[in-house]
Every structure is written in C-alpha cells, then in structure tokens.
Amino acid sequence: MTMRTLMTGCQIATMLPDGAPYGLIDDGAIVVNGREIRWVGPRLDLPQEFAGLEAMDLGGRLVTPGLIDAHSHVVYGGNRAKEFEMRLSGASYEEIAKAGGGILSTVTATRAATQEDLVAAALPRVDAMISEGVTTLEIKSGYGLTPDTELTMLRAARDIAETRRLRVKTTYLAAHAVPPEFAGRADEYIDTVVLPTLRQAHGEGLVDAVDGFCEGIAFAPDQIARVFDLAKGLGLPVKLHAEQLSNLGGAALAASYGALSADHIEYLDDQGVAAMAKAGTIAVLLPGAFYTLKETQTPPVASMRKAGVPMAVATDCNPGSSPMTSLLLAMNMACSFFGLTPQEALAGTTRNAALALGLSDAGVIAAQKRADLAVWDVSHPAELAYTIGMNPLHRRVFEGRFQ
C-alpha cells in the first residue's frame, strides 16, 4: 500500500516561475503519495479527500525543492592541496596545467585507485552535500583518460547512487584533458580513447550525458564537435565546459547541438548569449572555481538575464579549482560575486539545475513531481543564500521519505 503523508505548518517555496516571488505559499500544505507529490497549496484549500490524513506539523519552517547540484567532479583520487599553495605563491591555473599539474596530477591518482577506493573517497564529500539538502547530484568522469579508468569512474558514480539515498546523473567527460601519453596528439586521443570508450559506456548504460572541456589547454571546438556528433548519434544529451579562461565560441557550439548547459562561461560574449537563449541551453555558474582561481572576469549575468537564459548554480566540486561541497556557499558566492539575487540563486539550485540535467520531474514543488524536498530552519528563502558557513537544514525528504 502506498503511504500518504500530509505536511502542514510550513511556508512553501514552490519555485514555480509564475506568481509570487519564490512561488511562496504561506501556511501551506503538501500531500505526498509514495514517491510523488500529490497536492500542494494553501492549507485552507486542502481538498476534502486529504482532510482525514494525520498531519505532520513542520512548525512554520520553510520547505523548498530538494537541492540539485548540476555540475560536480566528486569522484576522483588524491587531492591537490600542494597546488593550492602554488596558486597562493602566484602560479596561474594555466601555468600549473602546462607544468604537468592541474587535471593531470589528479589523473595519476585516479588511475591508481580501485573502484572501491573511488567510492570510499567520494562518500564523505557526497555526505556533506546530502547534509545540506541535496537530493540530485551530477557526477562526471574525466580524471581517468583511459578506457578502463573512465569506465571505473562512471561505475563508481553509479555505486554512490546505490549506497546513498540520492539520485545521481552521470556525465562522460573523457574529453577533459589530453593525457601525457598523448601529448601533442589530441585528435588521436579522441579517436582511440574518447569515442570508442563512449560507445562502450553507453552500451553498458553508464552514461546520462556527454561533456567536454573547450579551452586552449584542453580541446578545440572542432574536436569537441566530433565527440558531440557521436553523442548525438547515440541519443545522448550534451553539455560543455566553455569560456572559462578564454572565448573559443564553445557555448555557441554547444547551443548548436541543443546542449543542456554551457558551464563556467566567464568569457561568454553576446553571440554566445544569443545562441544559448535560442537553443534553451542553461547557463551553469560555478563561483567556487572563480573564487579558488582568483579570477576577475565574471559571467555576463545581466546580458543573460535580459536574453532570458536560465541560470543554474553548482559547486563544481573537484580537487583542483573548486574543492567545495557546499551548494549553499555556492549560492552565496553567486550572489556576492556574480550579482544574482537570492531568488535567482535558489532557482539556480532547484528549477534551473533540473533543466541543466534534462530533468522534468524535479526542481519545483508541484503535483506529480518527485517528492524530493528540503525542510529548513529559516523564516524566509533569502536566508539560504544570505548566511555563510551555516547549515540550516532541518530534514531532507527523498522520494517521499524523511531523513
């Protein structure tokens, strides 16, 4: 028998795009039927069919959709604390990468790890995310850069979804960097590693989307296009690390493939904004990397806002440029560094984050959506982006079950 739950005594930030700010309902009620939301609205409008349910009074707390982290590299081996020291001494991200550090140093550690090692190392980071109300997490490969290790990373990501009450969406990112054994031979790496491994990963059901890093220290647009052509042929959606350090036109390229998202985009130009708006491609803002790398070029938030490009916010959790697990902190950074409003920041970790992952069943509180919710000890939604270093989560609800 499917269990029904009635929640009352709460404010509800539905995050529906129309109506009141945050889609806010004062003195609201939510009816959950199994894993699905059955009804939501003002408590006084509760339909008679639910009137007999025993109510769970949430004591005036705020309920939001469960948070969604739409860009993470949470599965990896080792750490790069030493490079943090190097950056503080003046070395740039690009200088570290060209010296064999950066992504490639994590590649070495990841290749040396077993699947079990990778899961064990990732779980404390994942648990920190869950503790802040995250119910859906995207996890990328991209630190193996060999067929076996890329597949191992994806399998580890799938294992995390089995180990924790969390929805995981996997992204294939073998086009993340050119490994040292293919130095100067990026096209050969794509032909012999990236493309055949994508076919194998897809055949094993390990891939939900395909990503790449379009940058001078990684791959050129024409090389990314070859990866996207195969993804399209396999029926997989694409997304792209684009315009982080320079403008190679990656966002416009991604939009031409109907990409779910273009991520980072600090150097995005008007042409890229227009292309994303036309394609419905989500802009995923990653303030953790901006902060860690001490960048000064900010994404063109005002231009995207004017063009109607939806903006998501994610941790970019990774060992080098964003060793951060706090989506709440990312929200605060997006407001403080990039000029988002608290409402935009919350939409960026709920409704728009769902769109960035191609999800239509999450990110808002509405009938027939997943019952993935977060209950907060706050009096107003703006507090979620306002506070720094404070975790006001009261309880998390995943697939209709309280934790």
Side-chain angles (χ1 to χ4, degrees):
M1 181 177 177
T2 301
M3 182 176 177
R4 287 183 173 183
T5 302
L6 169 62
M7 303 174 215
T8 60
C10 55
Q11 294 184 82
I12 305 169
T14 66
M15 300 313 296
L16 293 168
D18 301 320
Y22 300 95
L24 199 62
I25 300 172
D26 288 317
D27 190 16
I30 303 171
V31 177
V32 171
N33 189 42
R35 299 180 177 183
E36 184 179 272
I37 296 169
R38 179 67 182 277
W39 185 87
V40 58
R43 179 183 58 83
L44 294 178
D45 294 342
L46 183 71
Q48 186 61 35
E49 64 178 298
F50 306 125
L53 293 176
E54 183 177 353
M56 178 184 295
D57 190 334
L58 297 180
R61 294 180 174 90
L62 174 72
V63 182
T64 70
L67 301 188
I68 298 171
D69 193 339
H71 184 129
S72 95
H73 306 256
V74 74
V75 170
Y76 59 83
N79 71 71
R80 278 148 60 185
K82 183 177 180 180
E83 293 174 23
F84 174 64
E85 290 186 319
M86 291 173 64
R87 281 196 300 273
L88 292 176
S89 298
S92 71
Y93 181 71
E94 189 165 358
E95 287 169 344
I96 292 171
K98 286 183 176 178
I103 290 172
L104 297 183
S105 65
T106 299
V107 168
T108 300
T110 302
R111 288 179 176 180
T114 66
Q115 183 173 326
E116 292 74 20
D117 291 337
L118 293 174
V119 172
L123 283 177
R125 298 186 281 268
V126 171
D127 287 342
M129 294 169 167
I130 289 172
S131 74
E132 287 192 352
V134 171
T135 53
T136 298
L137 174 65
E138 187 249 22
I139 301 177
K140 303 178 190 293
S141 70
Y143 289 130
L145 310 185
T146 66
D148 287 347
T149 318
E150 286 294 301
L151 294 170
T152 296
M153 291 187 71
L154 293 169
R155 293 180 187 124
R158 292 290 196 223
D159 284 351
I160 288 170
E162 297 297 321
T163 306
R164 294 293 186 266
R165 293 188 55 75
L166 178 75
R167 177 154 66 162
V168 170
K169 304 298 288 184
T170 57
T171 298
Y172 177 75
L173 182 57
H176 195 195
V178 180
E181 62 269 25
F182 283 91
R185 297 180 291 133
D187 286 314
E188 184 180 348
Y189 170 66
I190 289 175
D191 288 336
T192 61
V193 176
V194 177
L195 300 181
T197 307
L198 174 54
R199 293 188 184 95
Q200 183 176 351
H202 176 259
E204 293 185 25
L206 296 173
V207 186
D208 297 318
V210 176
D211 198 350
F213 188 16
C214 186
E215 194 55 71
I217 60 172
F219 297 93
D222 64 314
Q223 294 166 334
I224 293 294
R226 291 166 56 205
V227 179
F228 283 3
D229 285 341
L230 177 57
K232 184 177 180 180
L234 295 173
L236 292 169
V238 300
K239 54 184 65 183
L240 188 63
H241 290 61
E243 276 77 87
Q244 180 184 6
L245 306 173
S246 64
N247 184 1
L248 297 184
L253 170 70
S256 73
Y257 283 85
L260 293 174
S261 70
D263 303 31
H264 286 290
I265 57 172
E266 281 89 339
Y267 287 83
L268 183 67
D269 60 16
D270 289 344
Q271 181 180 354
V273 171
M276 291 175 65
K278 183 177 180 181
T281 297
I282 308 301
V284 179
L285 307 182
L286 304 171
F290 175 89
Y291 166 83
T292 302
L293 300 178
K294 296 186 176 180
E295 296 291 343
T296 57
Q297 177 80 22
T298 58
V301 166
S303 296
M304 291 190 290
R305 188 183 285 138
K306 182 177 180 181
V309 176
M311 293 175 282
V313 176
T315 63
D316 190 20
C317 177
N318 75 75
S321 62
S322 187
M324 178 173 74
T325 59
S326 175
L327 198 52
L328 294 175
L329 180 56
M331 290 167 60
N332 176 272
M333 288 178 168
C335 294
S336 298
F337 294 150
F338 297 163
L340 266 64
T341 66
Q343 181 176 336
E344 287 173 329
L346 186 54
T349 56
T350 55
R351 182 179 73 242
N352 293 340
L355 295 175
L357 296 180
L359 301 175
S360 60
D361 63 350
V364 298
I365 301 178
Q368 300 182 328
K369 303 297 183 182
R370 284 172 61 101
D372 290 351
L373 307 168
V375 183
W376 307 94
D377 284 316
V378 300
S379 60
H380 190 275
E383 293 180 50
L384 299 179
Y386 157 71
T387 53
I388 303 173
M390 174 74 177
N391 180 7
L393 185 72
H394 175 69
R395 296 186 73 177
R396 192 184 75 124
V397 181
F398 182 74
E399 293 184 333
R401 291 173 57 186
F402 276 83
Q403 285 189 302

